[in-house]
């Protein structure tokens, strides 16, 4: 009997999303947009604000499943959303790397290993999104030398909102969520957990996406609907542009070659399952955790927060976010850390030419890494391994910065900005 709690491609990995056939797409609630397809992301936010007074008078402000199903307007919008997904996955890598790099050698061994595994999987997610995008891109529209994405435009400017109109819930009275570049700290772990936190699958979606999983759900609906309504389907991309297992090696997941809708759904399941984990609607009698399970990112960050691993007796009470690890404890030291300046910028170093040059050198390696990934997913998959190996040089360049003190007791840090090569 198939175990539906785990990913088909990685049987030790929990999954979040359910098959589209299992979703209630006919749920009707008071909707902020009867036809979301007619609104851009910004217009949708404005429309949300416009009805806020009605909501205050008792009108429930909700987006129906129908709105989510029709969020994707057409093929171009779908391709744009997948490019946004690329930026979304990339936006999480620098903050996670800052958390990893600022852990001093020999300390926080378990925490460092957990964060490192997440970074590797975020790189995998970029490749999976690229495979989906290539699968629905007509080769006749690709000119010689065209790249799948623009490296300069895809690099976020920190602090940054999550791309794609994703607005995670924050405590009442707090400003809207933004992603910051922070040293390894409780604040950083709170940020990481907020990025990866699952939405309540029973709760209606509001005027924006509450989680990364909800954004991918809209993409998944769009892929299905457009593939079914387009003569010949939309999966007409060049298979030679696909990254396959022979081009990539990474832990905690696998590359999915995308040539059909079913392949794309599996790839999205890998992305969401690795990030948010198990579906919150699973019955409480199901045992979710154990030493042989590869945990989703949210749970890995929870382990660091609590300084404990999950055990087989830890179960899901209504929602994954209420599952507390009670397994083997490990040491988490918040002081064995480089005191990196938050959200460093190259302009902060302009008074120190030597420091500025080191920041530029780091960013050149970072851009080189992204160029390598871009080249690989733009028709030269064999170049991916070369791009991934640049990660090692990136760490050494970051450590050079972290060992340079600043005037106020802080130290310099990597800025993850674009520089021309």
């Amino acid at each position: 009997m198939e175990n539906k709690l785990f990913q088909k491609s990685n049987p030790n990995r929990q999954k979040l999303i359910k098959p589209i056939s299992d979703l209630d797409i006919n749920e009707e609630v008071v909707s902020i947009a009867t036809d979301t397809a007619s609104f851009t992301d910004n217009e949708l936010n404005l429309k949300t604000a416009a009805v806020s007074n009605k909501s205050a008078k008792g009108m429930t402000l909700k987006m129906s499943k129908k709105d989510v199903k029709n969020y994707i307007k057409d093929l171009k919008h779908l391709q744009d959303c997948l490019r946004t997904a690329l930026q979304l996955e990339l936006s999480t890598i620098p903050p996670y790397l800052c958390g990893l790099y600022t852990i001093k050698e020999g300390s926080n061994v378990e925490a460092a290993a957990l964060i490192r595994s997440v970074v590797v999987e975020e790189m995998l997610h970029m490749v999976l999104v690229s495979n989906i995008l290539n699968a629905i891109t007509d080769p006749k529209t690709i000119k010689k030398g065209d790249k799948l994405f623009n490296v300069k435009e895809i690099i976020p400017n920190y602090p940054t909102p999550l791309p794609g109109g994703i607005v995670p819930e924050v405590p009442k009275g707090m400003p809207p969520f933004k992603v910051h570049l922070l040293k390894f700290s409780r604040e950083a772990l709170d940020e990481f957990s907020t990025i990866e936190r699952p939405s309540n699958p029973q709760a209606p979606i509001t005027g924006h996406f509450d989680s990364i999983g909800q954004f991918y759900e809209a993409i998944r609906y769009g892929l299905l609907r457009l593939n079914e309504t387009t003569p010949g389907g939309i999966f007409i991309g060049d298979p030679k542009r696909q990254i396959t297992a022979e081009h990539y090696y990474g832990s905690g997941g696998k590359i999915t070659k995308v040539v059909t809708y079913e392949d794309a759904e599996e790839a999205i399941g890998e992305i969401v399952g690795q990030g948010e984990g198990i579906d919150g609607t699973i019955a409480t009698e199901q045992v979710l955790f154990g030493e042989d399970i590869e945990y989703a990112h949210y749970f890995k960050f929870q382990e660091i927060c609590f300084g404990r691993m999950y055990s087989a007796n830890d179960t899901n009470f209504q929602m994954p976010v209420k599952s507390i690890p009670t397994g083997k404890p490990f040491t988490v030291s918040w002081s064995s850390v480089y005191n990196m300046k938050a959200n460093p910028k190259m302009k902060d170093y302009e008074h120190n030419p030597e420091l500025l040059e080191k920041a530029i050198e780091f960013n050149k390696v970072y851009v080189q890494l992204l160029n390598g990934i871009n080249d690989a997913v733009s028709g030269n998959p064999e170049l991916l391994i070369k791009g991934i190996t640049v990660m090692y040089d990136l760490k050494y360049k970051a450590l050079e910065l972290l060992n340079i003190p600043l005037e106020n007791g802080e130290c310099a840090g990597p800025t993850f900005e674009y520089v021309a090569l």
Side-chain angles (χ1 to χ4, degrees):
M1 181 177 177
E2 181 186 0
N3 187 342
K4 294 184 178 181
L5 303 185
F6 298 94
Q7 294 177 4
K8 181 174 64 175
S9 60
N10 185 12
N12 288 331
R13 168 75 70 175
Q14 301 165 31
K15 67 180 180 180
L16 172 72
I17 64 173
K18 294 180 286 188
I20 283 182
S21 59
D22 292 345
L23 293 170
D24 181 10
I25 61 176
N26 296 314
E27 175 189 351
E28 293 296 337
V29 295
V30 177
S31 173
I32 63 169
T34 55
D35 182 9
T36 308
S38 63
F39 295 99
T40 65
D41 292 345
N42 287 336
E43 289 171 336
L44 184 58
N45 290 334
L46 289 174
K47 191 170 182 68
T48 303
V51 299
S52 60
N53 289 335
K54 293 182 180 179
S55 178
K57 296 178 181 179
M59 175 181 176
T60 305
L61 180 61
K62 300 177 180 178
M63 179 189 285
S64 70
K65 290 289 185 183
K66 181 179 178 182
D67 292 322
V68 180
K69 180 183 178 183
N70 296 308
Y71 176 78
I72 300 295
K73 296 187 283 291
D74 51 34
L75 181 60
K76 182 181 182 304
H77 186 210
L78 176 59
Q79 292 170 333
D80 288 343
C81 283
L82 285 166
R83 289 189 174 88
T84 298
L86 279 173
Q87 187 175 41
L88 172 62
E89 300 300 340
L90 178 62
S91 70
T92 68
I93 294 175
Y96 295 165
L97 285 178
C98 283
L100 177 62
Y101 292 158
T102 53
I103 294 175
K104 291 189 175 180
E105 188 72 26
S107 68
N108 292 302
V109 175
E110 293 86 356
L114 288 167
I115 297 174
R116 187 179 300 110
S117 69
V118 171
V119 171
V120 170
E121 290 171 354
E122 295 296 350
M123 301 289 285
L124 169 66
H125 296 176
M126 287 190 68
V127 174
L128 289 172
V129 172
S130 298
N131 276 357
I132 298 172
L133 182 53
N134 273 322
I136 63 170
T137 300
D138 187 344
K140 295 191 291 290
T141 66
I142 301 173
K143 300 177 183 177
K144 186 176 180 180
D146 280 356
K147 301 297 181 183
L148 196 66
F149 59 89
N150 185 308
V151 170
K152 183 176 182 179
E153 293 179 358
I154 201 175
I155 295 178
N157 179 29
Y158 296 96
T160 180
L162 285 173
I166 300 168
V167 186
E169 184 179 353
V170 296
K172 189 175 181 179
M174 296 291 290
F177 179 75
K178 286 189 176 183
V179 181
H180 297 256
L181 300 180
L182 304 171
K183 66 181 180 182
F184 180 77
S185 59
R186 292 187 184 278
E187 182 182 3
L189 265 294
D190 286 346
E191 173 181 281
F192 299 169
S193 296
T194 301
I195 291 171
E196 305 286 0
R197 181 184 294 123
S199 295
N200 184 340
Q202 296 291 348
I205 297 176
T206 56
H208 54 257
F209 297 111
D210 296 328
S211 72
I212 292 173
Q214 287 184 347
F215 177 65
Y216 276 108
E217 183 176 313
I219 290 177
R220 195 161 57 108
Y221 274 127
L223 285 164
L224 179 65
R225 175 166 49 84
L226 291 176
N227 192 52
E228 289 181 341
T229 58
T230 301
I234 61 174
F235 289 85
I236 58 174
D238 183 357
K240 294 180 181 178
R241 293 173 71 90
Q242 292 289 311
I243 303 293
T244 63
E246 66 181 297
H247 307 120
Y248 176 90
Y249 173 78
S251 60
K254 76 168 191 177
I255 287 291
T256 298
K257 181 179 179 180
V258 180
V259 294
T260 66
Y261 166 76
E262 289 72 23
D263 297 333
E265 185 176 26
E266 182 176 326
I268 292 175
E270 188 81 11
I271 294 168
V272 179
Q274 285 186 354
E276 299 181 2
I278 202 76
D279 192 328
T281 61
I282 297 298
T284 57
E285 61 265 20
Q286 295 285 358
V287 176
L288 306 184
F289 302 112
E291 292 181 358
D292 295 328
I293 294 177
E294 180 74 17
Y295 302 119
H297 299 174
Y298 175 80
F299 297 114
K300 290 182 178 182
F301 292 141
Q302 287 298 95
E303 288 181 320
I304 299 173
C305 290
F306 286 94
R308 282 185 179 273
M309 299 296 186
Y310 279 102
S311 70
N313 293 324
D314 298 330
T315 54
N316 178 353
F317 298 100
Q318 297 180 333
M319 274 290 291
V321 293
K322 293 184 179 180
S323 295
I324 306 299
T326 64
K328 181 181 178 181
F330 59 89
T331 301
V332 178
S333 172
W334 305 109
S335 60
S336 301
V337 175
Y338 291 101
N339 190 26
M340 186 191 81
K341 172 185 172 67
N343 299 312
K345 302 285 185 185
M346 286 189 293
K347 65 180 182 182
D348 298 333
Y349 305 149
E350 289 178 348
H351 65 286
N352 185 332
E354 182 179 352
L355 176 54
L356 176 60
E357 184 58 33
K358 288 188 178 298
I360 293 173
E361 289 176 6
F362 173 88
N363 287 326
K364 283 184 177 179
V365 175
Y366 181 50
V367 171
Q368 181 185 349
L369 169 68
L370 297 185
N371 282 342
I373 296 173
N374 200 15
D375 289 342
V377 300
S378 299
N380 297 285
E382 69 281 355
L383 298 179
L384 184 65
I385 293 296
K386 181 179 178 181
I388 297 299
T389 58
V390 178
M391 289 289 292
Y392 295 103
D393 195 19
L394 196 70
K395 177 182 178 180
Y396 297 134
K397 296 295 184 184
L399 289 174
E400 287 182 5
L401 288 164
L402 292 168
N403 278 284
I404 299 176
L406 301 177
E407 295 83 357
N408 55 0
E410 296 178 319
C411 66
T415 68
F416 292 95
E417 295 174 280
Y418 178 83
V419 293
L421 299 181

